[in-house]
Amino acid sequence: MKAPHSRTLYDLLDEQANRYPDRLAAIHDDRSATYSELDRRSRVVAAALKARGICAGDRVALLLHNSIEWLEVCFGISALGAVVVPISTWSKAAELEFLLDDSKAVFLVTLDSLGSQDFARDLCQLIPELEQKESPESLTCERFPTLRGIAILGDSKPSGVTAYESFINVEPLDPVPPPGARGRAVDDAIVLYTSGSSSRPKAVRMMHYATIENGFNIGERQGLQPDDRVHVSPPLFWAYGAANAMPATLTHGATLVLQTRFEPGVALDLIERHGCTAIYTLPVMTNALIENDAFAPERTRTLRTGLTIGGPQDVKKAAEVLGASEICNVYGASETYGNCCVTEHAWPLDERAHCQGEPLPGVTVRIVDPETGKPVDAGEDGLVEVRGYLMAGYGGASASQNESVFTPDGFYRTGDIGHLDRLGRFVFVGRDTEMIKRAGINVSPVEIEEVLLQHPKVAQSSVVGVPEERRGEVIVAFVVPKQGESVSAQVLDAHCSALMSRYKVPDRFIVRKSLPLTTTGKVMRRELLDEAKAIVSGDK
């Protein structure tokens, strides 16, 4: 398929609206939007933001679930040359505080709540000015000095916040700013926050052109066509959504079928009702779908292609049991725009199951010796380094890590172990870092350890990840109480649940009198990992 010529995100939507005006761009719940309708709604958002003084280069945060509103806000921000800052809907107040401060967001579009998360309440706690103002215009906030306003979807609306429907009660921006005034191809399009080896999320800066081009190449490996309907339940605030599913689908003129949050019964209904032909899944999602009481092969018979990660058994299960016979195996990171290696959908299943494919066009993967840093021979394991479609660097507080994550010749150090076979296909082996990957989500053990240490009865903590078939890794936390104190797993679970997103909360808490230490006082993680493996194995 011919690639779009657009070089910025809004240009892409505008181009596809002219090419496929009546084709559905997105479906969510009982709503849908054609490409031309999504283009118009995005220009409405752009007009509303412009009226608040938002201009090129400004950071605008969106705290929304997968929805048509997420898309229209994203492209409306882009139409002004401003930068999209998606925020996780799992964020607790402390996480939200960091993200708003670190991103220097000038405006926020948010839900009032989602499930047990009460964002309106959290924002009022963080910004007491919201309940002191009689009008939502011209917000002045001591804690977040760059923040000038908030628009909120839902019924719970503090007096200092604008209702979203009122916010977008304007005429569409017409015309939008000319290309030069709304950003260049190499400008930041999206800043995604991803868990890292530090205790705070890292701000990954994604450029317009790379998001579009790499996304198109991912779609090509899947064999996407305009008639495809792509089921997407992974969040759009992940790279898997915003830098992968969204551009891969829209560059091909196909339709996003968005699910608010993954729930297997609902997912099966959506796939069957809308005749989805592609799916973005993870092993934990695939297992949940096929183990659901409502699953039957005929319900997913329309599936053909899509993306997943995992071992050979995970890929084969998605292809043979779930029914996405041409599903692609992938490798990548947020820093590489979601994926840098993808198998061809037309390859035999056994080949797709046992590798992550060739590097995408414009991407180079090299494997180097951990000791010498020199490239190794084909088939030999080593550290994985990537060059090509890479982030523009970390932003905010994490910018200090830029020098260490890039080599002098421009390769990104992934921290992973793998090899290239003699055909140039990449095979992922494991991680060289201590990062935990739970159900496809990166989790920083340092962040969890710091939260555990905030409990008044905890003296020490150490967190490890243990491989597990269903979830990739389970999280095991070792905790030492303060002298004379005792603490239970139930108390620790409640403590973590109150301060962190649920996916970061450990699966097991092991209370010990002490942690094994080296002669220099460092925790012996390998010894703890072996103990954790034995405990998890004994649970089965």
Side-chain angles (χ1 to χ4, degrees):
M1 184 172 179
K2 186 177 179 181
H5 65 261
S6 299
R7 304 288 284 168
T8 68
L9 285 185
Y10 175 73
D11 287 340
L12 172 64
L13 177 60
D14 188 55
E15 178 181 350
Q16 300 300 62
N18 282 289
R19 180 178 295 165
Y20 308 111
D22 300 322
R23 189 178 296 279
L24 288 179
I27 298 170
H28 175 247
D29 289 342
D30 296 325
R31 296 181 56 208
S32 63
T34 64
Y35 276 92
S36 60
E37 289 168 343
L38 182 58
D39 183 31
R40 182 185 183 280
R41 290 183 65 90
S42 298
R43 288 187 290 112
V44 168
V45 172
L49 291 170
K50 185 179 180 182
R52 293 298 186 94
I54 310 303
C55 58
D58 284 339
R59 305 290 178 89
V60 180
L62 62 157
L63 177 53
L64 303 175
H65 55 61
N66 287 2
S67 60
I68 291 173
E69 286 86 359
W70 198 103
L71 297 173
E72 68 192 32
V73 172
C74 172
F75 287 103
I77 295 168
S78 178
L80 296 177
V83 183
V84 182
V85 183
I87 294 179
S88 167
T89 56
W90 289 310
S91 297
K92 297 296 177 72
E95 295 166 316
L96 184 56
E97 179 180 17
F98 169 78
L99 295 170
L100 288 175
D101 178 63
D102 191 70
S103 68
K104 300 298 184 284
V106 301
F107 200 86
L108 169 67
V109 180
T110 181
L111 297 166
D112 62 345
S113 63
L114 182 64
S116 62
Q117 302 285 93
D118 190 336
F119 303 120
R121 179 201 61 201
D122 290 344
L123 286 168
C124 287
Q125 291 176 352
L126 293 172
I127 311 172
E129 295 93 336
L130 291 180
E131 293 185 302
Q132 298 167 4
K133 289 177 63 66
E134 295 181 359
S135 169
E137 302 298 329
S138 302
L139 173 67
T140 300
C141 175
E142 182 178 352
R143 181 170 285 175
F144 308 110
T146 62
L147 191 63
R148 303 202 297 265
I150 299 174
I152 195 163
L153 285 82
D155 299 326
S156 178
K157 188 186 78 64
S159 59
V161 172
T162 304
Y164 185 72
E165 289 305 316
S166 175
F167 174 66
I168 60 171
N169 187 24
V170 295
E171 289 299 313
L173 191 63
D174 188 18
V176 295
R182 65 171 180 262
R184 303 168 300 161
V186 296
D187 287 341
D188 290 351
I190 303 172
V191 175
L192 282 176
Y193 279 85
T194 179
S195 294
S197 56
S198 61
S199 62
R200 292 292 194 181
K202 294 179 288 189
V204 178
R205 297 167 49 216
M206 298 182 165
M207 295 175 284
H208 284 276
Y209 86 93
T211 304
I212 295 169
E213 293 177 7
N214 200 64
F216 175 78
N217 292 333
I218 293 170
E220 287 292 280
R221 290 283 170 95
Q222 295 177 75
L224 293 183
Q225 296 293 328
D227 289 335
D228 279 313
R229 292 191 168 189
V230 184
H231 178 258
V232 178
S233 57
L236 289 171
F237 53 73
W238 286 358
Y240 201 37
N244 190 322
M246 183 178 75
T249 302
L250 300 187
T251 54
H252 287 77
T255 304
L256 289 164
V257 179
L258 299 173
Q259 185 173 352
T260 301
R261 276 185 171 180
F262 178 74
E263 192 285 317
V266 174
L268 290 169
D269 289 342
L270 290 172
I271 292 167
E272 183 176 32
R273 185 191 325 156
H274 299 295
C276 293
T277 55
I279 185 169
Y280 273 66
T281 187
L282 298 166
V284 67
M285 293 178 176
T286 300
N287 288 330
L289 287 167
I290 62 180
E291 292 171 8
N292 188 271
D293 290 341
F295 175 75
E298 58 267 22
R299 300 197 69 189
T300 58
R301 66 185 183 279
T302 56
L303 290 177
R304 182 188 82 255
T305 187
L307 296 185
T308 192
I309 61 170
Q313 72 282 358
D314 299 310
V315 179
K316 289 183 177 181
K317 190 177 293 184
E320 297 176 332
V321 184
L322 186 59
S325 60
E326 298 179 16
I327 199 158
C328 304
N329 196 357
V330 301
Y331 169 76
S334 298
E335 291 85 349
T336 65
Y337 292 83
N339 290 145
C340 57
C341 297
V342 182
T343 60
E344 289 280 358
H345 69 99
W347 284 0
L349 177 58
D350 198 57
E351 292 183 29
R352 283 180 277 134
H354 286 88
C355 75
Q356 285 71 42
E358 298 168 337
L360 290 165
V363 173
T364 301
V365 173
R366 73 180 179 191
I367 312 298
V368 301
D369 184 276
E371 300 296 328
T372 67
K374 295 181 179 180
V376 301
D377 294 333
E380 185 176 344
D381 290 343
L383 292 173
V384 182
E385 297 179 345
V386 180
R387 186 169 66 185
Y389 290 108
L390 297 178
M391 64 172 178
Y394 295 123
S398 50
S400 61
Q401 302 179 46
N402 285 332
E403 186 174 349
S404 63
V405 299
F406 291 106
T407 66
D409 56 347
F411 279 79
Y412 167 66
R413 297 183 172 106
T414 66
D416 291 331
I417 299 291
H419 67 258
L420 292 169
D421 67 18
R422 298 191 181 280
L423 296 176
R425 299 172 177 181
F426 176 73
V427 178
F428 174 75
V429 174
R431 284 178 301 284
D432 189 51
T433 66
E434 295 175 344
M435 283 294 295
I436 300 169
K437 198 149 193 170
R438 181 190 196 189
I441 311 173
N442 284 334
V443 179
S444 167
V446 177
E447 182 180 4
I448 302 173
E449 289 164 3
E450 290 192 358
V451 168
L452 285 167
L453 291 173
Q454 292 176 32
H455 192 281
K457 295 184 177 181
V458 173
Q460 292 177 285
S461 67
S462 186
V463 174
V464 297
V466 177
E468 196 256 3
E469 182 178 353
R470 287 175 54 83
R471 288 168 285 183
E473 287 182 307
V474 294
I475 302 171
V476 178
F478 291 88
V479 174
V480 177
K482 292 180 179 178
Q483 189 170 1
E485 299 284 4
S486 63
V487 65
S488 68
Q490 291 79 9
V491 168
L492 294 170
D493 184 274
H495 170 74
C496 290
S497 297
L499 296 177
M500 294 190 300
S501 302
R502 185 65 210 178
Y503 69 87
K504 301 176 185 177
V505 176
D507 299 282
R508 287 291 304 266
F509 294 87
I510 311 299
V511 180
R512 298 172 48 122
K513 292 182 179 180
S514 64
L515 298 179
L517 303 176
T518 66
T519 54
T520 59
K522 293 183 178 180
V523 175
M524 299 173 67
R525 288 183 181 271
R526 175 54 59 184
E527 185 173 322
L528 289 179
L529 180 58
D530 290 342
E531 181 179 339
K533 287 179 178 177
I535 292 169
V536 172
S537 177
D539 289 342
K540 295 178 181 178

